[in-house]
Amino acid sequence: MVSFWQPYCTEGQHWALSVNITVHDLISVFQKKTITDVLASSEPKPGCPADLQSMVTLYFSDKHSVIEQEELALQDSSFLSCNDLTHTLSSFLKQVCPKWSKIQKQHKEKSSVVLLIVCSSALRAIELLKQMIAFKGEAKAVKLFAKHIKIEEQVKLLQKGITHVGVGTPGRISALIEKDGLSLKALKYVVLDWNWRDQKLRRMVDVPEVKLDFMKLLESGILNGCKEGKVKIGLF
């Protein structure tokens, strides 16, 4: 217990102020809660379409006119069913892509994928590739991240044969689209690794640089694909 005593004079009279404060109280006054502290003490909630819709609206609010914002807005019909936090990646994909076997056999476009899985890092992408083995069957999947892989190598790999699934980070995927190394022509599904959190309990969209890359990726053609009814988005 810490006691403060402060004398002061007012019109000839002396007054004393005595305040009792614990050390814990002193610390809590000056301690700022971080996002990790807040998240650690709260129950995890699965992402829903409204989360992404509001984020897109807020991001574009000062970058586009009202008419342009309306065109970029995501409609409810653009979404697949969401992960309720009970799914593995394979079980989630089986639920949202029930005709996958037929779709993968029909896919004949080079430099394009049918399914794009977007996550926050190279390590997470590798983990997701392992998790989807039970789902993808004979489909070919490719890593789309920058770590240890040159973009020119990925462009050649995509041009060489038929690739069904791309798993990677928004920054590298956007760069491949800009270089015409990856086409969105055959794209049907975009699955966002929305609910997963890193060691600091941050989601993909909680990391500023990843969020910026992600918004650029949406604007690079995915939002238009959704508007045209060609692309559906799932929050895993």
Side-chain angles (χ1 to χ4, degrees), residues 10-28:
T10 304
E11 296 179 352
Q13 292 182 328
H14 291 277
W15 299 82
L17 176 64
S18 179
V19 182
N20 292 321
I21 305 176
T22 66
V23 173
H24 176 74
D25 291 335
L26 280 173
I27 294 173
S28 62

Side-chain angles (χ1 to χ4, degrees), residues 74-236:
L74 282 165
Q75 304 302 317
D76 291 344
S77 58
S78 300
F79 290 89
L80 300 164
S81 58
C82 297
N83 178 20
D84 59 5
L85 303 184
T86 64
H87 282 285
T88 63
L89 180 58
S90 281
S91 68
F92 176 70
L93 292 174
K94 286 177 181 178
Q95 175 180 295
V96 299
C97 310
K99 297 180 180 180
W100 177 249
S101 180
K102 180 180 179 180
I103 290 171
Q104 73 169 28
K105 289 176 181 177
Q106 293 175 337
H107 176 52
K108 304 297 181 183
E109 291 283 343
K110 290 185 178 181
S111 297
S112 189
V113 296
V114 178
L115 169 61
L116 198 55
I117 300 176
V118 186
C119 59
S120 59
S121 69
L123 288 175
R124 178 59 178 164
I126 292 172
E127 184 180 336
L128 290 173
L129 279 164
K130 292 177 181 177
Q131 288 184 21
M132 66 177 297
I133 290 175
F135 164 77
K136 74 181 184 69
E138 297 178 0
K140 182 180 178 182
V142 64
K143 304 169 185 174
L144 301 179
F145 50 75
K147 191 172 184 179
H148 305 313
I149 307 175
K150 293 181 180 180
I151 193 168
E152 293 80 11
E153 294 176 6
Q154 289 169 329
V155 171
K156 289 179 181 178
L157 184 61
L158 288 164
Q159 291 174 341
K160 188 176 181 181
I162 305 300
T163 305
H164 304 85
V165 184
V167 184
T169 56
R172 176 48 64 92
I173 295 171
S174 294
L176 284 163
I177 293 171
E178 288 175 9
K179 286 182 173 290
D180 294 324
L182 176 65
S183 167
L184 302 182
K185 187 176 179 180
L187 187 64
K188 292 181 181 295
Y189 306 106
V190 175
V191 172
L192 309 177
D193 190 30
W194 188 271
N195 296 299
W196 182 80
R197 297 181 186 273
D198 62 16
Q199 290 182 338
K200 295 182 179 180
L201 300 181
R202 299 173 304 178
R203 299 170 304 165
M204 174 173 67
V205 293
D206 292 327
V207 183
E209 60 271 23
V210 177
K211 179 181 178 181
L212 181 60
D213 287 338
F214 170 62
M215 297 308 297
K216 288 179 180 177
L217 173 60
L218 289 182
E219 202 173 6
S220 69
I222 290 175
L223 291 178
N224 285 336
C226 291
K227 183 183 176 182
E228 294 169 1
K230 297 177 180 178
V231 178
K232 299 286 186 181
I233 295 177
L235 305 184
F236 170 64

